């Protein structure tokens, strides 16, 4: 993108003065006052500001992002040249954020004329506009054309240019309020196209063999059901079974089952027997010799409880997961950050008003952590986990949540925070009843959930994380004393593990220089992955993977 105008402003002070006044693009005001960054991690350079505290940033592709002082941001041009066309041609552009080409020429010209007359009561803009356009080589465009440029630019803001507070991670609001298509509509677009191809009898192998196309096609079939779809649904079902247990596999089984054909029972049974996960996930399915009415009843019950025909009823995580699989990473990230912001704001309001946080947020936060980790966005995963930890009342759940928090802090390089989190974890091991909510534990009312942590996978992960934090934090000489304390604590915890558990941990310590940094391994600690009711049970080297998130 062209930066011709910006270069001229930097080279010619007179033009820079004109841009600063009366058009409020001031090169001397490029300090935004707080650290910000793009959610995508893309480059961002502050180049100018205005007298209201707003800042103009140039993004990696040359687009200009404007952030005001009230926490809103939006793209206002595809390049600095285009942004200056808007600013010079529409000096009252802030008043036009709600205008769109669809409003018509008469309304646009009337709004612009009214604002500019108000500006002229205080200072000139006409001669200055002519001079600056000539000096920068900017074309003269009509207000209608400029509103079209501004409107198109604003609609590009999200997801690729979502602006965050760099320290807290919250997203800025959109500068405008123009409607955008819902996430599900964007995600389903390719699925609807592929479903049409399947119905036409083409691209069966291409679609069914590609999980990123197969899953959206199944979702499209969920919301557009036709009697003649049974052959293609059978085909998709067979291929989806190759991905093991997924929500889309259950959906495909339901869509096939709703047709109530007896000849589909052997196929469904074969799919259910694919592996242990599919056997569990498709539990309750009628046997191969069942009555077709029984099959239809089973499918209808699952459809009513899990699926349905309205895409707006689907959980957010259905669409973010599918967006990620389609390569729409920033679309998924933006939606997840917006959801996390909502939960964070509610938690703030509840704390301010002395109310208990909605327990439903705990499940969403756990899913958010998982989804952010899938996007390799440890920063946002850590932010979600910090909100999740205080919602855990049982000792086992608190320790598991603290363990995951420590890992995320370590991976983000926040070693001091990770060390403090591990100290809180050890305090809970020592006093499991501290912080327990009512109803936890059994018998006398005390929390017994950590009674045999030394013989579980959780105990092994705790020790390994202590050593991992000690090893990585050793690079920070300011934390030398804290690192020594963590190392001592790790040795003490190791000594408390059962023989089998201790042997497995020692083998891991001897066999790798990066103990359990894999996100899938550590995320298992968010479920009660006890090795069994037998207190003498040990730790397996490769514990059972977690079940897919319910979203």
């Amino acid at each position: 993108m062209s930066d011709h105008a910006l270069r001229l402003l930097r080279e010619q002070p007179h033009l820079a003065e004109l841009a600063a006044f009366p058009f409020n693009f001031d090169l001397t005001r490029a300090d935004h006052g707080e650290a910000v960054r793009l959610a995508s991690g893309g480059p961002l350079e502050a180049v100018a500001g205005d007298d209201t505290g707003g800042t103009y940033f140039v993004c990696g592709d040359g687009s200009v992002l404007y952030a005001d002082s009230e926490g809103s941001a939006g793209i206002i041009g595809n390049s600095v040249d285009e942004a200056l066309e808007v600013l010079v041609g529409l000096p009252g552009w802030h008043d036009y954020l709600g205008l769109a080409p669809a409003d018509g020429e008469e309304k646009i010209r009337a709004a612009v004329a009214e604002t500019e007359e108000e500006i002229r009561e205080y200072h000139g803009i006409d001669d200055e506009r002519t001079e600056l356009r000539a000096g920068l080589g900017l074309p003269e465009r009509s207000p209608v054309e400029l509103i079209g440029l501004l409107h198109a630019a604003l609609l590009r803001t999200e997801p690729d240019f979502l602006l965050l507070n760099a320290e807290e991670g919250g997203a800025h609001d959109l500068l405008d309020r123009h409607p955008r298509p819902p996430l599900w509509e964007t995600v389903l677009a390719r699925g609807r196209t592929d479903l049409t191809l399947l119905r036409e009898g083409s691209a069966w192998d291409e679609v069914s063999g590609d999980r990123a196309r197969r899953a959206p096609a199944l979702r499209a079939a969920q919301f557009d059901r036709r009697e003649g779809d049974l052959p293609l649904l059978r085909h998709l079902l067979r291929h989806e079974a190759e991905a093991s247990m997924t929500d889309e596999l259950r959906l495909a089984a339901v869509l096939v089952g709703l047709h109530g054909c007896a000849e589909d029972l052997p196929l469904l049974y074969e799919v259910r027997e694919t592996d242990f996960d599919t056997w569990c996930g498709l539990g309750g399915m009628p046997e191969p010799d069942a009555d077709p009415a029984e099959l239809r009843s089973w499918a209808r019950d699952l459809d009513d409880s899990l699926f349905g025909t309205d895409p707006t009823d689907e959980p957010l995580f259905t669409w973010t997961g599918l967006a990620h699989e389609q390569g729409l990473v920033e679309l998924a990230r933006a939606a997840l950050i917006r959801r996390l912001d909502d939960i964070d704001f509610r938690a703030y309001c509840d704390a301010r008003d002395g109310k208990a946080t909605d327990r439903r947020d705990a499940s969403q936060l756990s899913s958010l952590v998982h989804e952010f980790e899938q996007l390799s966005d440890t920063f946002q995963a850590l932010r979600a986990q910090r909100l999740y930890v205080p919602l855990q009342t049982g000792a086992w759940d608190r320790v598991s949540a603290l363990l995951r928090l420590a890992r995320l802090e370590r991976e983000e390089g926040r070693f001091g925070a990770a060390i403090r989190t591990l100290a809180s974890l050890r305090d809970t091991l020592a006093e499991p009843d501290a912080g327990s909510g009512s109803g936890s534990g059994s018998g006398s009312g005390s929390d017994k959930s950590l009674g045999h942590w030394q013989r579980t996978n959780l105990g092994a992960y705790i020790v390994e994380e202590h050593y991992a934090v000690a090893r990585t934090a050793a690079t920070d000489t300011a934390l030398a004393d804290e690192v020594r304390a963590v190392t001592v604590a790790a040795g003490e915890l190791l000594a408390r593990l059962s023989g089998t558990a201790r042997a497995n941990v020692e083998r891991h310590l001897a066999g790798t220089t990066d103990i359990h940094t894999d996100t899938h391994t550590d995320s298992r600690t968010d479920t009660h992955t006890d090795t069994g009711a037998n207190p003498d049970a040990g730790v397996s080297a490769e514990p059972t993977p977690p079940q897919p998130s319910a979203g």
Side-chain angles (χ1 to χ4, degrees), residues 320-493:
T320 56
L322 292 175
H324 185 199
E325 289 191 41
Q326 293 183 60
L328 304 174
V329 174
E330 296 312 316
L331 187 67
R333 192 196 315 275
L336 293 168
I337 290 173
R338 292 293 189 193
R339 176 60 59 85
L340 178 56
D341 284 352
D342 288 343
I343 295 174
D344 197 358
F345 181 70
R346 286 201 302 273
Y348 164 77
C349 292
D350 289 341
R352 179 196 61 195
D353 299 336
K355 298 179 180 178
T357 301
D358 190 336
R359 293 295 303 170
R360 289 174 296 182
D361 286 345
S363 176
Q364 288 204 55
L365 286 167
S366 180
S367 295
L368 282 167
V369 174
H370 174 76
E371 293 299 319
F372 280 126
E373 289 201 88
Q374 293 297 301
L375 297 177
S376 300
D377 194 336
T378 310
F379 179 84
Q380 293 292 346
L382 174 56
R383 182 178 161 220
Q385 187 68 11
R386 283 174 175 160
L387 292 171
Y388 179 75
V389 168
L391 301 181
Q392 307 314 301
T393 55
W396 179 285
D397 293 334
R398 290 201 309 279
V399 166
S400 298
L402 287 166
L403 179 59
R404 194 178 201 181
L405 178 62
R407 173 177 59 79
L408 291 169
E409 289 168 336
R410 168 173 58 82
E411 291 177 352
E412 272 291 290
R414 303 178 186 227
F415 303 133
I419 290 171
R420 291 189 293 273
T421 296
L422 289 179
S424 296
L425 185 157
R426 296 194 301 275
D427 289 344
T428 304
L429 290 177
E431 296 185 54
D433 290 325
S436 294
S438 60
S440 63
S442 59
S444 64
S446 62
D447 192 328
K448 306 292 187 183
S449 59
L450 287 172
H452 302 292
W453 67 266
Q454 303 93 329
R455 298 180 175 90
T456 65
N457 292 333
L458 178 61
Y461 298 150
I462 289 170
V463 174
E464 290 170 356
E465 186 58 37
H466 274 72
Y467 279 116
V469 168
R471 183 178 62 255
T472 53
T475 59
D476 188 341
T477 56
L479 294 174
D481 291 341
E482 289 86 347
V483 169
R484 279 192 290 271
V486 169
T487 305
V488 170
E492 293 173 346
L493 291 169

Side-chain angles (χ1 to χ4, degrees), residues 47-349:
V47 295
D50 62 23
D51 59 9
T52 68
T55 307
Y56 299 94
F57 298 90
V58 176
C59 304
D61 70 342
S63 297
V64 175
L65 180 74
Y66 174 79
D68 66 21
S69 59
E70 303 299 319
S72 298
I75 296 292
I76 62 168
N78 293 333
S79 65
V80 176
D81 289 10
E82 185 177 294
L84 282 166
E85 284 188 55
V86 171
L87 301 184
V88 175
L90 300 172
W93 68 274
H94 289 276
D95 296 334
Y96 315 141
L97 293 173
L99 287 176
D103 291 317
E105 181 174 353
E106 182 178 353
K107 180 177 180 179
I108 290 173
R109 288 188 178 276
V112 171
E114 180 181 359
T115 303
E116 293 196 354
E117 281 304 311
E118 293 175 357
I119 294 174
R120 290 186 185 100
E121 292 179 7
Y122 300 96
H123 56 76
I125 55 173
D126 299 307
D127 293 341
E128 292 82 355
R129 177 156 49 201
T130 299
E131 183 178 358
L132 189 55
R133 277 175 170 166
L136 298 179
L138 301 178
E140 183 175 347
R141 298 185 190 271
S142 71
V144 176
E145 288 181 280
L146 292 173
I147 289 296
L149 290 176
L150 177 61
H151 177 71
L154 288 167
L155 291 180
R156 293 178 51 237
T157 304
E158 199 166 311
D160 293 325
F161 304 99
L162 182 63
L163 191 66
L164 306 181
N165 178 292
E167 295 181 2
E168 298 176 359
H172 283 54
D173 293 331
L174 289 172
L175 198 59
D176 68 281
R177 293 296 181 266
H178 294 300
R180 270 80 166 172
L183 174 63
W184 64 262
E185 189 173 299
T186 304
V187 173
L188 270 188
R190 180 62 183 272
R192 287 169 166 166
T193 299
D194 281 339
L195 181 59
T196 299
L197 293 175
L198 291 170
R199 285 169 172 166
E200 293 172 350
S202 59
W204 274 43
D205 291 336
E206 292 87 343
V207 174
S208 62
D210 183 349
R211 161 71 189 175
R213 296 179 66 179
R214 183 175 66 243
L218 279 166
R219 289 293 176 176
Q222 174 186 350
F223 306 116
D224 180 16
R225 304 180 183 192
R226 300 186 186 179
E227 191 64 32
D229 284 348
L230 184 55
L232 68 88
L233 291 173
R234 291 167 175 160
H235 189 69
L236 294 173
L237 172 63
R238 289 188 179 95
H239 283 79
E240 187 61 21
E242 298 172 4
S244 189
M245 191 60 234
T246 64
D247 287 339
E248 285 68 39
L249 179 64
R250 188 181 287 111
L251 170 63
V254 165
L255 293 176
V256 168
L258 285 172
H259 287 267
C261 295
E263 58 265 35
D264 288 323
L265 281 164
L267 168 62
L268 291 166
Y269 183 80
E270 177 185 343
V271 168
R272 189 187 73 175
E273 298 298 307
T274 300
D275 56 35
F276 180 74
D277 288 338
T278 56
W279 186 85
C280 294
L282 296 175
M285 179 185 292
E287 296 299 317
D289 58 351
D291 186 274
E294 187 180 348
L295 170 62
R296 187 180 290 111
S297 176
W298 169 82
R300 189 179 296 116
D301 288 345
L302 276 181
D303 189 30
D304 291 343
S305 62
L306 296 177
F307 299 111
T309 58
D310 187 349
T312 63
D313 290 338
E314 285 292 325
L316 169 70
F317 304 109
T318 294
W319 305 120
T320 56
L322 292 175
H324 185 199
E325 289 191 41
Q326 293 183 60
L328 304 174
V329 174
E330 296 312 316
L331 187 67
R333 192 196 315 275
L336 293 168
I337 290 173
R338 292 293 189 193
R339 176 60 59 85
L340 178 56
D341 284 352
D342 288 343
I343 295 174
D344 197 358
F345 181 70
R346 286 201 302 273
Y348 164 77
C349 292

